[in-house]
Protein backbone atom coordinates (compact mmCIF):
# COMPACT_ATOMS: atom_id res chain seq x y z
CA UNK A 1 0.00 0.00 0.00
CA UNK A 2 1.29 3.48 -0.89
CA UNK A 3 -0.10 5.17 2.20
CA UNK A 4 1.68 8.15 3.74
CA UNK A 5 -0.62 8.86 6.68
CA UNK A 6 -3.52 7.62 8.80
CA UNK A 7 -6.59 9.28 10.29
CA UNK A 8 -7.92 7.24 13.20
CA UNK A 9 -11.26 7.32 14.94
CA UNK A 10 -10.80 6.77 18.66
CA UNK A 11 -13.82 5.53 20.62
CA UNK A 12 -14.60 1.98 19.51
CA UNK A 13 -11.30 1.69 17.67
CA UNK A 14 -8.57 2.38 20.23
CA UNK A 15 -10.69 2.17 23.37
CA UNK A 16 -14.16 1.27 24.62
CA UNK A 17 -15.70 2.51 27.86
CA UNK A 18 -12.33 4.00 28.87
CA UNK A 19 -10.49 0.69 28.38
CA UNK A 20 -7.71 0.53 25.80
CA UNK A 21 -8.30 -2.21 23.23
CA UNK A 22 -5.80 -4.96 22.60
CA UNK A 23 -3.01 -3.90 20.24
CA UNK A 24 -3.91 -0.18 20.26
CA UNK A 25 -0.74 0.99 21.99
CA UNK A 26 1.39 -1.28 19.79
CA UNK A 27 -0.05 0.27 16.62
CA UNK A 28 0.87 3.76 17.86
CA UNK A 29 4.38 2.54 18.66
CA UNK A 30 4.82 0.96 15.22
CA UNK A 31 3.68 4.12 13.43
CA UNK A 32 6.07 6.27 15.44
CA UNK A 33 8.97 3.89 14.81
CA UNK A 34 8.25 3.92 11.07
CA UNK A 35 7.74 7.72 11.16
CA UNK A 36 4.33 7.41 9.51
CA UNK A 37 2.20 10.53 10.18
CA UNK A 38 -1.13 9.98 11.91
CA UNK A 39 -3.86 11.90 13.65
CA UNK A 40 -6.79 10.93 15.82
CA UNK A 41 -10.04 12.39 14.50
CA UNK A 42 -13.06 12.28 16.76
CA UNK A 43 -16.58 13.64 16.86
CA UNK A 44 -16.13 14.01 20.61
CA UNK A 45 -17.82 17.20 21.77
CA UNK A 46 -17.93 16.61 25.52
CA UNK A 47 -14.40 17.85 26.26
CA UNK A 48 -12.06 20.56 25.04
CA UNK A 49 -9.16 19.31 22.95
CA UNK A 50 -6.79 19.76 25.91
CA UNK A 51 -9.00 17.82 28.32
CA UNK A 52 -9.76 15.12 25.75
CA UNK A 53 -6.03 14.55 25.19
CA UNK A 54 -5.53 14.42 28.96
CA UNK A 55 -8.25 11.78 29.27
CA UNK A 56 -6.74 9.65 26.50
CA UNK A 57 -3.38 9.65 28.25
CA UNK A 58 -4.97 8.82 31.60
CA UNK A 59 -6.55 5.64 30.16
CA UNK A 60 -3.21 4.53 28.71
CA UNK A 61 -2.83 5.99 25.21
CA UNK A 62 0.39 7.94 24.71
CA UNK A 63 -0.98 10.81 22.62
CA UNK A 64 0.02 14.45 22.09
CA UNK A 65 -2.49 17.28 21.76
CA UNK A 66 -1.36 18.19 18.24
CA UNK A 67 -2.21 14.62 17.18
CA UNK A 68 -5.85 15.06 18.22
CA UNK A 69 -8.46 16.80 16.09
CA UNK A 70 -11.99 16.89 17.43
CA UNK A 71 -15.36 18.14 16.25
CA UNK A 72 -15.33 20.46 19.25
CA UNK A 73 -12.14 22.15 18.07
CA UNK A 74 -13.39 22.20 14.45
CA UNK A 75 -16.48 24.02 15.69
CA UNK A 76 -14.34 26.75 17.23
CA UNK A 77 -12.29 27.14 14.03
CA UNK A 78 -15.50 27.34 11.99
CA UNK A 79 -17.09 29.96 14.27
CA UNK A 80 -13.89 31.97 14.03
CA UNK A 81 -13.91 31.72 10.24
CA UNK A 82 -17.55 32.90 10.15
CA UNK A 83 -16.52 35.87 12.34
CA UNK A 84 -19.16 35.08 14.95
CA UNK A 85 -18.97 37.26 18.04
CA UNK A 86 -21.22 35.66 20.65
CA UNK A 87 -22.08 31.97 20.54
CA UNK A 88 -24.53 30.11 22.72
CA UNK A 89 -22.87 26.83 23.65
CA UNK A 90 -25.00 23.69 23.90
CA UNK A 91 -22.04 21.83 25.31
CA UNK A 92 -20.88 20.32 28.55
CA UNK A 93 -18.90 22.74 30.73
CA UNK A 94 -15.74 20.70 30.05
CA UNK A 95 -16.08 21.34 26.31
CA UNK A 96 -16.50 25.10 26.49
CA UNK A 97 -12.85 25.96 27.09
CA UNK A 98 -12.11 26.02 23.34
CA UNK A 99 -14.67 28.81 22.81
CA UNK A 100 -13.72 31.31 25.51
CA UNK A 101 -12.92 34.07 23.02
CA UNK A 102 -16.37 33.75 21.39
CA UNK A 103 -18.61 33.89 24.45
CA UNK A 104 -19.28 35.83 27.64
CA UNK A 105 -19.97 39.20 26.04
CA UNK A 106 -23.01 41.44 25.66
CA UNK A 107 -23.44 41.10 21.90
CA UNK A 108 -26.48 39.56 20.28
CA UNK A 109 -26.29 35.76 19.98
CA UNK A 110 -25.20 35.12 16.40
CA UNK A 111 -24.28 31.44 16.62
CA UNK A 112 -25.37 28.27 18.41
CA UNK A 113 -22.79 25.54 18.81
CA UNK A 114 -24.44 22.16 19.42
CA UNK A 115 -22.66 19.08 20.69
CA UNK A 116 -23.29 16.24 23.12
CA UNK A 117 -25.19 17.06 26.30
CA UNK A 118 -26.55 13.59 27.03
CA UNK A 119 -30.05 13.51 28.47
CA UNK A 120 -30.15 17.28 29.15
CA UNK A 121 -32.24 17.86 26.02
CA UNK A 122 -35.76 19.03 26.80
CA UNK A 123 -38.67 21.00 25.30
CA UNK A 124 -37.71 24.30 26.98
CA UNK A 125 -34.19 24.18 25.54
CA UNK A 126 -35.38 23.24 22.04
CA UNK A 127 -37.96 26.05 22.10
CA UNK A 128 -35.38 28.67 23.15
CA UNK A 129 -32.94 27.53 20.47
CA UNK A 130 -35.70 27.75 17.87
CA UNK A 131 -36.27 31.40 18.85
CA UNK A 132 -32.53 32.20 18.66
CA UNK A 133 -32.29 30.65 15.20
CA UNK A 134 -35.38 32.46 13.93
CA UNK A 135 -33.75 35.64 15.26
CA UNK A 136 -30.74 35.07 12.99
CA UNK A 137 -28.34 32.81 14.87
CA UNK A 138 -26.43 30.29 12.75
CA UNK A 139 -26.47 26.63 13.76
CA UNK A 140 -23.04 25.03 14.08
CA UNK A 141 -23.51 21.29 14.59
CA UNK A 142 -20.38 19.59 15.86
CA UNK A 143 -21.77 16.45 14.25
CA UNK A 144 -25.06 14.84 13.29
CA UNK A 145 -24.41 11.44 14.80
CA UNK A 146 -27.37 9.06 14.80
CA UNK A 147 -26.20 6.99 17.75
CA UNK A 148 -23.18 6.13 19.86
CA UNK A 149 -22.21 3.19 22.01
CA UNK A 150 -22.14 3.28 25.79
CA UNK A 151 -21.77 0.26 28.06
CA UNK A 152 -22.37 -2.07 25.14
CA UNK A 153 -25.61 -0.44 24.02
CA UNK A 154 -26.48 2.05 21.27
CA UNK A 155 -27.77 5.42 22.49
CA UNK A 156 -29.54 8.19 20.53
CA UNK A 157 -27.15 10.97 19.51
CA UNK A 158 -27.56 14.74 19.08
CA UNK A 159 -28.22 14.48 15.33
CA UNK A 160 -31.89 13.82 16.06
CA UNK A 161 -32.26 17.14 17.92
CA UNK A 162 -30.35 19.09 15.27
CA UNK A 163 -32.65 17.64 12.59
CA UNK A 164 -35.61 18.79 14.67
CA UNK A 165 -34.29 22.36 14.86
CA UNK A 166 -33.72 22.39 11.10
CA UNK A 167 -37.27 21.20 10.57
CA UNK A 168 -38.97 23.84 12.72
CA UNK A 169 -36.81 26.80 11.59
CA UNK A 170 -36.18 25.97 7.94
CA UNK A 171 -32.47 26.69 8.53
CA UNK A 172 -29.71 24.21 7.71
CA UNK A 173 -27.01 23.49 10.24
CA UNK A 174 -23.35 23.92 9.36
CA UNK A 175 -21.99 20.47 10.19
CA UNK A 176 -18.31 20.58 11.12
CA UNK A 177 -17.68 17.04 12.39
CA UNK A 178 -17.32 13.78 10.50
CA UNK A 179 -18.32 12.98 7.80
CA UNK A 180 -18.19 16.57 6.50
CA UNK A 181 -15.49 17.40 3.98
CA UNK A 182 -14.57 20.54 5.92
CA UNK A 183 -13.69 18.45 8.99
CA UNK A 184 -11.27 16.22 7.09
CA UNK A 185 -9.73 19.20 5.27
CA UNK A 186 -9.13 21.01 8.56
CA UNK A 187 -7.64 17.87 10.13
CA UNK A 188 -5.04 17.44 7.36
CA UNK A 189 -4.40 21.14 6.69
CA UNK A 190 -0.74 20.76 7.70
CA UNK A 191 -0.15 17.65 5.54
CA UNK A 192 1.11 18.07 1.98
CA UNK A 193 0.00 14.64 0.73
CA UNK A 194 -3.31 12.89 0.02
CA UNK A 195 -2.30 9.21 0.26
CA UNK A 196 -4.29 8.79 3.45
CA UNK A 197 -6.36 6.06 5.03
CA UNK A 198 -9.24 6.52 7.46
CA UNK A 199 -9.72 3.83 10.12
CA UNK A 200 -12.96 3.68 12.09
CA UNK A 201 -15.92 1.70 13.41
CA UNK A 202 -18.66 3.95 12.00
CA UNK A 203 -19.87 3.23 8.45
CA UNK A 204 -21.33 6.71 7.98
CA UNK A 205 -19.00 9.07 9.82
CA UNK A 206 -15.70 7.28 9.15
CA UNK A 207 -16.10 5.13 6.05
CA UNK A 208 -18.47 7.26 3.99
CA UNK A 209 -16.56 10.38 5.01
CA UNK A 210 -13.24 8.85 4.00
CA UNK A 211 -14.63 7.48 0.74
CA UNK A 212 -15.98 10.90 -0.25
CA UNK A 213 -12.52 12.39 0.32
CA UNK A 214 -10.94 9.80 -1.96
CA UNK A 215 -9.03 8.22 0.92
CA UNK A 216 -8.71 4.47 1.45
CA UNK A 217 -10.82 3.17 4.34
CA UNK A 218 -10.62 0.49 7.01
CA UNK A 219 -13.66 -0.62 9.00
CA UNK A 220 -12.89 -2.32 12.32
CA UNK A 221 -15.31 -4.86 13.78
CA UNK A 222 -15.20 -3.32 17.26
CA UNK A 223 -17.07 -0.48 18.95
CA UNK A 224 -20.38 0.38 17.30
CA UNK A 225 -19.85 -2.09 14.42
CA UNK A 226 -22.91 -4.31 13.95
CA UNK A 227 -22.90 -7.14 11.41
CA UNK A 228 -26.57 -6.68 10.50
CA UNK A 229 -26.15 -2.94 9.88
CA UNK A 230 -23.06 -3.64 7.77
CA UNK A 231 -24.88 -6.20 5.63
CA UNK A 232 -27.79 -3.85 4.91
CA UNK A 233 -25.65 -0.81 4.16
CA UNK A 234 -24.49 0.24 0.70
CA UNK A 235 -21.45 1.94 2.22
CA UNK A 236 -18.38 -0.21 1.75
CA UNK A 237 -14.84 0.16 3.10
CA UNK A 238 -11.76 -0.85 1.14
CA UNK A 239 -10.80 -3.19 3.98
CA UNK A 240 -12.68 -4.76 6.88
CA UNK A 241 -10.51 -5.96 9.78
CA UNK A 242 -11.29 -7.60 13.11
CA UNK A 243 -9.63 -4.92 15.25
CA UNK A 244 -7.07 -2.12 15.25
CA UNK A 245 -4.39 -4.71 16.05
CA UNK A 246 -4.87 -6.26 12.61
CA UNK A 247 -3.79 -3.00 11.00
CA UNK A 248 -0.20 -4.08 11.62
CA UNK A 249 -0.54 -6.37 8.61
CA UNK A 250 -0.88 -3.28 6.40
CA UNK A 251 1.86 -1.01 7.76
Amino acid sequence: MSLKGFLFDLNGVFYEDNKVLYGAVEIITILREKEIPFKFISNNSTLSRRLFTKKLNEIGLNIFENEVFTANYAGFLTAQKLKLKNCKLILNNEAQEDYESLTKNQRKIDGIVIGDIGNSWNYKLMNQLMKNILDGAKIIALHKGKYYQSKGELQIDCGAFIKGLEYVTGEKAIVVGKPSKSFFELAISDWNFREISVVGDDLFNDIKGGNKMGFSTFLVKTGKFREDIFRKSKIRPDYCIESIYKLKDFI
Side-chain angles (χ1 to χ4, degrees), residues 139-159:
I139 314 168
I140 297 180
L142 299 190
H143 63 84
K144 267 188 177 179
K146 295 180 180 180
Y147 49 78
Y148 62 95
Q149 174 161 291
S150 178
K151 298 179 180 178
E153 295 184 352
L154 298 181
Q155 310 284 340
I156 191 170
D157 215 335
C158 66

Side-chain angles (χ1 to χ4, degrees), residues 222-248:
T222 53
K224 66 176 69 170
F225 175 86
R226 297 292 187 276
E227 188 68 44
D228 57 336
I229 295 175
F230 178 61
R231 285 198 309 268
K232 294 174 184 176
S233 176
K234 294 180 180 179
I235 303 170
R236 282 293 175 265
D238 293 302
Y239 305 93
C240 193
I241 56 179
E242 291 299 318
S243 69
I244 189 63
Y245 181 67
K246 291 295 183 180
L247 191 68
K248 66 183 177 60

Side-chain angles (χ1 to χ4, degrees), residues 47-65:
L47 298 169
S48 67
R49 186 163 74 147
R50 179 185 67 84
L51 291 176
F52 188 44
T53 305
K54 182 173 180 285
K55 169 194 169 180
L56 295 172
N57 280 281
E58 286 174 349
I59 67 173
L61 293 172
N62 181 23
I63 293 175
F64 301 103
E65 188 171 330

Side-chain angles (χ1 to χ4, degrees), residues 128-145:
Q128 183 57 59
L129 295 180
M130 177 191 72
K131 293 175 182 178
N132 292 141
I133 297 163
L134 291 175
D135 197 32
K138 296 184 182 298
I139 314 168
I140 297 180
L142 299 190
H143 63 84
K144 267 188 177 179

Side-chain angles (χ1 to χ4, degrees), residues 43-45 71-76 91 99 113-116 140-144 158 162 174-178 183:
N43 272 351
N44 181 281
S45 62
N72 199 58
Y73 189 63
F76 164 71
L91 303 169
Y99 296 85
V113 181
I114 302 176
D116 298 306
I140 297 180
L142 299 190
H143 63 84
K144 267 188 177 179
C158 66
I162 294 164
I174 301 166
V175 183
V176 299
K178 295 182 291 183
F183 178 87

Side-chain angles (χ1 to χ4, degrees), residues 93-235:
N93 290 336
E94 294 82 359
Q96 297 184 18
E97 176 182 293
D98 289 334
Y99 296 85
E100 285 182 354
S101 62
L102 302 177
T103 58
K104 300 178 182 177
N105 58 68
Q106 300 305 309
R107 294 175 182 264
K108 175 185 174 182
I109 292 172
D110 54 4
I112 298 171
V113 181
I114 302 176
D116 298 306
I117 57 171
N119 59 5
S120 296
W121 288 100
N122 57 56
Y123 176 84
K124 183 178 179 180
L125 175 60
M126 289 287 284
N127 202 48
Q128 183 57 59
L129 295 180
M130 177 191 72
K131 293 175 182 178
N132 292 141
I133 297 163
L134 291 175
D135 197 32
K138 296 184 182 298
I139 314 168
I140 297 180
L142 299 190
H143 63 84
K144 267 188 177 179
K146 295 180 180 180
Y147 49 78
Y148 62 95
Q149 174 161 291
S150 178
K151 298 179 180 178
E153 295 184 352
L154 298 181
Q155 310 284 340
I156 191 170
D157 215 335
C158 66
F161 302 100
I162 294 164
K163 279 283 193 179
L165 290 170
E166 289 179 324
Y167 174 73
V168 298
T169 64
E171 299 294 327
K172 295 294 289 183
I174 301 166
V175 183
V176 299
K178 295 182 291 183
S180 70
K181 182 178 179 180
S182 62
F183 178 87
F184 287 99
E185 293 289 1
L186 284 169
I188 63 169
S189 60
D190 58 340
W191 287 359
N192 61 358
F193 54 86
R194 305 285 294 194
E195 297 86 354
I196 297 166
S197 188
V198 176
V199 184
D201 66 330
D202 189 310
L203 272 172
F204 185 74
N205 289 334
D206 301 319
I207 306 307
K208 184 176 181 179
N211 288 345
K212 287 174 66 176
M213 291 295 296
F215 301 154
S216 62
T217 51
F218 287 81
L219 179 67
V220 295
K221 294 184 177 182
T222 53
K224 66 176 69 170
F225 175 86
R226 297 292 187 276
E227 188 68 44
D228 57 336
I229 295 175
F230 178 61
R231 285 198 309 268
K232 294 174 184 176
S233 176
K234 294 180 180 179
I235 303 170

